[in-house]
Amino acid sequence: MARPAVVLLHGMFGSPDNWRACAERLRPNREVLVPELPVWDLPRSESGVAGLVSHLERFLEQERVGRAAFAGNSLGGHVALELALRRPERAAALVLTGSSGLFERGLASPPPRRPTRDWIRTKVREVFYHESHVTEALVDQIHKTVLDVRRVKKIVCMAKSAKRGNLSGMLHRIGCPVLLAWGREDLITPPEAALDFKRHIPHAELAFIGQCGHAPNIEQPQELSALMESFLDRHCPASAAS
Protein backbone atom coordinates (compact mmCIF):
# COMPACT_ATOMS: atom_id res chain seq x y z
CA MET A 1 0.00 0.00 0.00
CA ALA A 2 1.41 3.40 -0.99
CA ARG A 3 2.47 5.76 1.75
CA PRO A 4 0.31 8.91 1.96
CA ALA A 5 1.90 11.85 0.17
CA VAL A 6 2.73 15.21 1.74
CA VAL A 7 3.55 18.13 -0.56
CA LEU A 8 5.57 20.98 1.00
CA LEU A 9 5.36 24.42 -0.64
CA HIS A 10 7.80 27.30 -0.09
CA GLY A 11 7.20 31.06 -0.13
CA MET A 12 8.07 33.77 -2.65
CA PHE A 13 11.74 34.20 -1.72
CA GLY A 14 12.10 30.63 -0.50
CA SER A 15 13.21 27.34 -1.97
CA PRO A 16 12.54 23.63 -1.39
CA ASP A 17 15.53 23.65 0.98
CA ASN A 18 13.47 25.69 3.46
CA TRP A 19 11.52 22.50 4.22
CA ARG A 20 14.54 20.17 4.51
CA ALA A 21 14.36 19.53 8.27
CA CYS A 22 10.59 18.94 8.21
CA ALA A 23 10.87 16.67 5.17
CA GLU A 24 13.54 14.53 6.84
CA ARG A 25 11.36 14.03 9.90
CA LEU A 26 8.25 13.13 7.88
CA ARG A 27 9.89 10.86 5.30
CA PRO A 28 10.19 7.64 7.32
CA ASN A 29 6.40 7.23 7.26
CA ARG A 30 5.25 9.33 4.32
CA GLU A 31 6.02 10.12 0.73
CA VAL A 32 7.30 13.71 0.83
CA LEU A 33 7.45 15.90 -2.25
CA VAL A 34 8.98 19.39 -2.21
CA PRO A 35 8.47 21.01 -5.61
CA GLU A 36 10.17 24.18 -6.79
CA LEU A 37 7.53 26.86 -7.34
CA PRO A 38 8.59 28.82 -10.44
CA VAL A 39 7.98 32.26 -8.95
CA TRP A 40 10.54 33.84 -11.31
CA ASP A 41 10.05 31.69 -14.38
CA LEU A 42 6.35 31.86 -15.22
CA PRO A 43 5.41 33.94 -18.27
CA ARG A 44 4.32 37.46 -17.31
CA SER A 45 0.70 36.65 -18.25
CA GLU A 46 0.72 33.73 -15.77
CA SER A 47 2.70 35.41 -13.01
CA GLY A 48 0.36 35.10 -10.05
CA VAL A 49 -1.10 32.66 -7.57
CA ALA A 50 -3.32 31.04 -10.22
CA GLY A 51 -0.29 30.36 -12.42
CA LEU A 52 1.52 28.66 -9.53
CA VAL A 53 -1.54 26.52 -8.82
CA SER A 54 -1.64 25.39 -12.46
CA HIS A 55 2.08 24.56 -12.26
CA LEU A 56 1.45 22.54 -9.08
CA GLU A 57 -1.35 20.61 -10.77
CA ARG A 58 1.00 19.72 -13.64
CA PHE A 59 3.63 18.61 -11.11
CA LEU A 60 1.11 16.36 -9.33
CA GLU A 61 0.09 14.78 -12.63
CA GLN A 62 3.73 14.18 -13.55
CA GLU A 63 4.45 12.56 -10.17
CA ARG A 64 1.19 10.59 -10.33
CA VAL A 65 -0.02 12.02 -7.04
CA GLY A 66 -3.77 11.93 -6.61
CA ARG A 67 -4.90 12.93 -3.14
CA ALA A 68 -2.33 14.42 -0.78
CA ALA A 69 -1.80 16.63 2.25
CA PHE A 70 -0.38 20.05 1.40
CA ALA A 71 1.72 22.21 3.72
CA GLY A 72 2.58 25.75 2.66
CA ASN A 73 4.51 28.63 4.13
CA SER A 74 3.60 32.20 3.17
CA LEU A 75 2.82 32.27 -0.58
CA GLY A 76 3.03 28.46 -0.55
CA GLY A 77 0.08 28.38 1.86
CA HIS A 78 -1.92 30.58 -0.49
CA VAL A 79 -1.17 28.18 -3.35
CA ALA A 80 -2.30 25.22 -1.21
CA LEU A 81 -5.56 26.99 -0.35
CA GLU A 82 -6.28 27.86 -3.98
CA LEU A 83 -5.59 24.27 -5.01
CA ALA A 84 -7.95 22.94 -2.33
CA LEU A 85 -10.65 25.32 -3.55
CA ARG A 86 -10.07 24.52 -7.23
CA ARG A 87 -9.60 20.77 -6.81
CA PRO A 88 -11.04 19.71 -3.42
CA GLU A 89 -10.74 16.03 -4.34
CA ARG A 90 -6.94 16.41 -4.31
CA ALA A 91 -6.63 17.91 -0.80
CA ALA A 92 -6.68 15.37 2.03
CA ALA A 93 -5.50 18.01 4.52
CA LEU A 94 -3.84 21.44 4.69
CA VAL A 95 -1.13 22.78 6.98
CA LEU A 96 -0.81 26.56 6.71
CA THR A 97 1.97 28.55 8.29
CA GLY A 98 2.29 32.29 7.78
CA SER A 99 -0.03 31.92 4.79
CA SER A 100 -1.15 34.80 2.64
CA GLY A 101 -4.72 34.80 1.40
CA LEU A 102 -6.29 37.10 3.98
CA PHE A 103 -3.65 39.55 5.15
CA GLU A 104 0.05 40.07 4.61
CA ARG A 105 2.44 42.94 5.14
CA GLY A 106 4.08 42.04 1.88
CA LEU A 107 5.78 43.87 -0.97
CA ALA A 108 2.89 45.44 -2.89
CA SER A 109 5.05 48.20 -4.35
CA PRO A 110 8.52 48.03 -5.90
CA PRO A 111 11.58 48.26 -3.65
CA PRO A 112 13.79 51.36 -3.94
CA ARG A 113 15.34 51.78 -7.38
CA ARG A 114 18.74 50.77 -6.00
CA PRO A 115 18.02 48.93 -2.72
CA THR A 116 20.97 48.82 -0.39
CA ARG A 117 22.14 45.81 1.55
CA ASP A 118 21.04 47.59 4.74
CA TRP A 119 17.51 47.96 3.33
CA ILE A 120 17.48 44.26 2.43
CA ARG A 121 18.81 43.29 5.86
CA THR A 122 16.03 45.30 7.56
CA LYS A 123 13.37 43.58 5.45
CA VAL A 124 14.82 40.11 6.08
CA ARG A 125 15.07 40.86 9.80
CA GLU A 126 11.28 41.33 9.85
CA VAL A 127 10.83 37.72 8.74
CA PHE A 128 12.63 36.05 11.64
CA TYR A 129 12.44 36.14 15.41
CA HIS A 130 16.05 34.96 15.77
CA GLU A 131 18.56 37.32 14.18
CA SER A 132 20.90 34.37 13.57
CA HIS A 133 18.82 33.49 10.50
CA VAL A 134 19.65 36.82 8.87
CA THR A 135 22.84 35.58 7.27
CA GLU A 136 25.06 37.47 4.84
CA ALA A 137 24.44 34.73 2.27
CA LEU A 138 20.67 35.25 2.51
CA VAL A 139 21.03 39.03 2.30
CA ASP A 140 23.29 38.61 -0.76
CA GLN A 141 20.80 36.27 -2.43
CA ILE A 142 17.83 38.60 -1.98
CA HIS A 143 19.89 41.69 -2.82
CA LYS A 144 20.85 40.10 -6.12
CA THR A 145 17.21 39.24 -6.79
CA VAL A 146 15.88 42.77 -6.23
CA LEU A 147 18.59 44.28 -8.42
CA ASP A 148 17.20 42.23 -11.32
CA VAL A 149 14.53 44.43 -12.95
CA ARG A 150 12.77 41.43 -14.50
CA ARG A 151 12.50 39.73 -11.13
CA VAL A 152 11.30 42.89 -9.40
CA LYS A 153 8.41 43.04 -11.89
CA LYS A 154 7.60 39.40 -11.06
CA ILE A 155 7.72 40.18 -7.32
CA VAL A 156 5.25 43.02 -7.74
CA CYS A 157 2.95 40.93 -10.00
CA MET A 158 2.98 38.05 -7.51
CA ALA A 159 2.41 40.31 -4.48
CA LYS A 160 -0.48 42.12 -6.18
CA SER A 161 -1.97 38.79 -7.23
CA ALA A 162 -1.84 37.54 -3.64
CA LYS A 163 -3.50 40.72 -2.35
CA ARG A 164 -6.19 40.65 -5.05
CA GLY A 165 -6.81 36.98 -4.30
CA ASN A 166 -8.35 37.60 -0.89
CA LEU A 167 -10.06 34.36 0.08
CA SER A 168 -12.32 35.57 2.89
CA GLY A 169 -15.48 34.84 0.92
CA MET A 170 -14.38 31.34 -0.10
CA LEU A 171 -12.66 29.76 2.90
CA HIS A 172 -15.94 28.36 4.22
CA ARG A 173 -15.79 25.94 1.25
CA ILE A 174 -12.61 24.28 2.57
CA GLY A 175 -13.87 20.90 3.74
CA CYS A 176 -10.63 19.02 4.47
CA PRO A 177 -8.88 19.10 7.87
CA VAL A 178 -6.77 22.24 8.34
CA LEU A 179 -3.92 22.98 10.75
CA LEU A 180 -2.85 26.61 11.26
CA ALA A 181 0.68 26.45 12.69
CA TRP A 182 1.72 30.05 13.26
CA GLY A 183 4.79 31.86 14.55
CA ARG A 184 3.69 33.80 17.62
CA GLU A 185 6.09 36.62 16.68
CA ASP A 186 5.21 36.68 12.97
CA LEU A 187 5.38 40.31 11.77
CA ILE A 188 4.44 39.61 8.12
CA THR A 189 1.22 37.67 8.75
CA PRO A 190 0.77 38.43 12.46
CA PRO A 191 -1.19 36.25 14.90
CA GLU A 192 -4.31 38.27 14.09
CA ALA A 193 -4.13 36.81 10.58
CA ALA A 194 -4.12 33.27 12.02
CA LEU A 195 -7.16 34.12 14.16
CA ASP A 196 -8.86 35.52 11.06
CA PHE A 197 -8.20 32.26 9.20
CA LYS A 198 -9.69 30.41 12.18
CA ARG A 199 -12.83 32.54 12.00
CA HIS A 200 -13.25 31.78 8.31
CA ILE A 201 -12.42 28.05 8.67
CA PRO A 202 -14.13 27.20 11.99
CA HIS A 203 -13.09 23.53 11.92
CA ALA A 204 -9.39 24.48 11.56
CA GLU A 205 -7.00 23.71 14.41
CA LEU A 206 -4.74 26.57 15.53
CA ALA A 207 -1.37 26.23 17.24
CA PHE A 208 1.06 29.06 17.94
CA ILE A 209 4.81 28.40 17.96
CA GLY A 210 6.80 30.53 20.41
CA GLN A 211 9.98 32.44 19.60
CA CYS A 212 9.16 32.17 15.94
CA GLY A 213 8.50 34.62 13.13
CA HIS A 214 7.07 34.17 9.64
CA ALA A 215 8.83 30.91 8.72
CA PRO A 216 8.42 28.14 11.33
CA ASN A 217 9.75 25.61 8.80
CA ILE A 218 13.10 27.43 9.03
CA GLU A 219 13.14 28.72 12.61
CA GLN A 220 11.34 25.96 14.52
CA PRO A 221 11.23 22.93 12.19
CA GLN A 222 11.20 20.35 14.99
CA GLU A 223 8.20 21.88 16.73
CA LEU A 224 6.41 22.41 13.42
CA SER A 225 7.16 18.82 12.36
CA ALA A 226 5.81 17.47 15.65
CA LEU A 227 2.58 19.43 15.16
CA MET A 228 2.32 18.20 11.58
CA GLU A 229 2.95 14.57 12.54
CA SER A 230 0.27 14.62 15.23
CA PHE A 231 -2.21 16.33 12.89
CA LEU A 232 -1.50 14.05 9.92
CA ASP A 233 -1.57 10.89 12.05
CA ARG A 234 -5.11 11.80 13.09
CA HIS A 235 -6.42 12.90 9.69
CA CYS A 236 -4.18 11.18 7.11
CA PRO A 237 -2.82 8.10 8.90
CA ALA A 238 0.33 6.57 7.49
CA SER A 239 -1.52 3.32 6.94
CA ALA A 240 -3.82 4.99 4.38
CA ALA A 241 -3.11 4.87 0.67
CA SER A 242 -2.09 8.04 -1.14
Side-chain angles (χ1 to χ4, degrees), residues 7 23 43 59 67 104-105 110 122 170 187 230 238:
V7 181
F59 171 83
R67 192 167 168 81
E104 180 179 16
R105 293 193 180 107
T122 298
M170 292 177 277
L187 299 179
S230 174

Side-chain angles (χ1 to χ4, degrees), residues 90-172:
R90 281 197 177 277
L94 298 178
V95 177
L96 307 175
T97 176
S99 177
S100 58
L102 287 179
F103 173 82
E104 180 179 16
R105 293 193 180 107
L107 189 62
S109 58
R113 186 175 295 273
R114 298 293 295 179
T116 64
R117 285 177 54 81
D118 285 343
W119 185 87
I120 297 294
R121 187 177 289 103
T122 298
K123 289 296 180 183
V124 175
R125 183 69 188 89
E126 293 174 359
V127 174
F128 299 107
Y129 175 79
H130 294 283
E131 192 168 1
S132 60
H133 292 285
V134 187
T135 64
E136 291 306 306
L138 181 57
V139 172
D140 282 341
Q141 173 196 328
I142 297 176
H143 192 214
K144 188 177 298 183
T145 296
V146 299
L147 289 177
D148 183 329
V149 174
R150 184 186 67 86
R151 290 195 168 194
V152 168
K153 290 178 179 177
K154 292 289 181 71
I155 292 169
V156 175
C157 282
M158 200 65 70
K160 287 183 175 179
S161 168
K163 285 185 178 291
R164 284 196 306 270
N166 187 286
L167 301 175
S168 58
M170 292 177 277
L171 291 177
H172 67 278

Side-chain angles (χ1 to χ4, degrees), residues 219-232:
E219 282 202 276
Q220 299 286 1
Q222 296 308 315
E223 185 167 350
L224 175 59
S225 297
L227 288 169
M228 289 175 65
E229 282 185 316
S230 174
F231 172 76
L232 293 173

